[in-house]
Structure formats: C-alpha cells, structure tokens
Amino acid sequence: MSTLRGQGPALIATGLTDTTGDPLRYTPHDFRRLFITDAILNGLPPHIAQVIAGHQDINVTLGYKAVYPEEAIQAHMAFLARRRSLRPSEEYRVPTEDEWQEFLGHFERRKVSIGACGRAFGTPCIHEHACVRCPMLWPDPSQRDRLVEIRDNLLARIAEAKREGWLGEVEGLQVSLAGAEDKLAQMDRRASGGTAIDLGMPRIATVQPTQAEGTASLTQSLDDQQ
C-alpha cells in the first residue's frame, strides 16, 4: 500500500493526466504491462515474453500489446536473423553429399531385429546395442515370436547361471529379462488397442436447505427486489 500511496505525488508532479483531466494513477500490474509491451516492441519474441511473464497462454501475452500474427512472425524472424549473425557461418552452410547420406543412413540403420531404435541422430548407443534392455526400442508386433524366443532363452540362461553359481551373470541376465518382458507387454497393449471404461454420468446430490437458510435466502431475495 505504501508503494501505491507514493505514486500519487510523483504522478501529480509530472503533470500527466487522463482524458478527463484527472491525474494518472498506476498500479504494479500497469508497470508489468508496460514492460511486456516495451520488450516486444523492441524485438523480444512474444514466446519468450510469455515465459518471462509466466503466462500459460501466449494469447494473454499478445493481448498486452495486441500483437497480430504477422507482427509476431516478423518479430520472430528478426530474432532468428540476430541469432544467426552471432553464430559461426559454418553452421548454416549447405551439407556435403557425404554428410547428407550419413544423415539419411541414420534412419535406415534405426531398424533392428525386433523393432526400430528411437535414438536421436548422432547420439551413441548407451546400451552397446543390447536393444532388448533399451527404453528407446519401439518393438515391432510382427517380431513377437522372436522376442518370446529371446525371453525363453534368457530364462534358460538364468537357470543355468544360478545352478553354476554365476551370480554376476544372473544379475545382468535378469536386467535383460525385465526388458524383454516389458517389450512384450508393450506389444500386447498396442495389439489390444486399449479398453474403454464407461465411467457413467456424475450425479450431483441435491442438498435441501435448512429452515434457517431458507428464511435467510427469502429475506435476501426480497431485499434485492426492493
């Protein structure tokens, strides 16, 4: 409240008035709007202003200055131009034929024996191509029999390792077994297409007002009509 009271003398001293001739009065939210408007006018992309202002919907940010789509596009293009002017020109050159073929080859190599790998381009495989353990593997339903065979083989190897006392081997095989069973569960969920559950319509119980509440409500209605 002290901040708001302090604004009065300052604004009166400036001599600024509104359309009716009264001295202007600012609130903290007015300064927030002024900041966002001035920032966008000076080239700050609206989506970044949205993050600064903490708005969940960018339309709220655009409403601060009534930014139209064309203006938003131009502001973003200007932002990209400034960014590119600061980056090394080598980053924006046309790729060579070998680089382009390497990029395309990445997607061809994503296919593995039991599905497709979802790793990003240029990233190494952290599981050393033990795909059955990897959460980035998208299993192919047509390879379910192959995956069942892998799972059964893992069960047999775990039984052998336990029988021979190879405890370190058991631990690693159990990780692979958990991965194989998870991939089989993914296949089954995709094949079933999910199950629709009827939740029904919600019922809202009607609460009868007490005699005292009914009297108070009637009195209030009569007062409103007067």
Side-chain angles (χ1 to χ4, degrees):
M1 293 301 293
S2 60
T3 303
L4 293 177
R5 286 197 296 269
Q7 291 173 358
L11 285 173
I12 293 173
T14 63
L16 298 174
T17 60
D18 58 18
T19 55
T20 63
D22 296 327
L24 292 178
R25 178 181 179 275
Y26 283 101
T27 65
H29 191 265
D30 292 323
F31 290 104
R32 173 185 172 89
R33 295 179 68 92
L34 287 170
F35 169 77
I36 296 297
T37 300
D38 188 64
I40 296 178
L41 278 173
N42 284 274
L44 183 69
H47 67 281
I48 295 181
Q50 174 193 0
V51 175
I52 295 175
H55 295 153
Q56 293 184 352
D57 186 355
I58 194 172
N59 290 318
V60 177
T61 311
L62 299 181
Y64 270 41
K65 185 199 160 286
V67 179
Y68 296 98
E70 180 64 24
E71 189 174 354
I73 292 172
Q74 293 301 325
H76 188 60
M77 294 300 294
F79 169 74
L80 292 178
R82 291 195 302 272
R83 287 277 301 186
R84 290 181 175 178
S85 66
L86 300 175
R87 302 295 300 174
S89 59
E90 293 80 8
E91 295 185 1
Y92 300 100
R93 62 177 174 80
V94 177
T96 64
E97 183 63 25
D98 291 340
E99 291 171 337
W100 182 245
Q101 291 302 323
E102 179 186 357
F103 178 74
L104 296 178
H106 163 75
F107 298 97
E108 296 175 358
R109 292 191 295 269
R110 290 177 62 189
K111 185 172 178 60
V112 293
S113 61
I114 54 177
C117 177
R119 284 187 296 116
F121 173 70
T123 58
C125 178
I126 61 174
H127 295 102
E128 297 181 353
H129 302 284
C131 299
V132 74
R133 299 185 180 188
C134 183
M136 297 303 294
L137 174 67
W138 184 255
D140 182 0
S142 65
Q143 297 297 319
R144 193 180 193 284
D145 292 342
R146 167 63 177 157
L147 191 55
V148 170
E149 181 182 347
I150 292 174
R151 181 200 59 188
D152 294 343
N153 179 262
L154 286 168
L155 289 170
R157 291 173 61 189
I158 290 174
E160 179 187 11
K162 288 181 177 180
R163 186 170 58 251
E164 298 296 335
W166 303 332
L167 301 183
E169 188 75 8
V170 170
E171 183 177 355
L173 290 171
Q174 286 176 337
V175 174
S176 297
L177 177 62
E181 291 176 339
D182 180 66
K183 299 299 182 295
L184 285 170
Q186 289 182 40
M187 290 182 178
D188 293 339
R189 286 195 299 268
R190 291 171 60 189
S192 64
T195 303
I197 300 176
D198 183 12
L199 299 179
M201 294 297 294
R203 296 181 179 179
I204 303 176
T206 303
V207 179
Q208 297 295 332
T210 63
Q211 182 176 359
E213 292 173 339
T215 302
S217 177
L218 178 59
T219 303
Q220 182 64 43
S221 298
L222 293 174
D223 292 341
D224 292 341
Q225 293 175 3
Q226 294 175 358

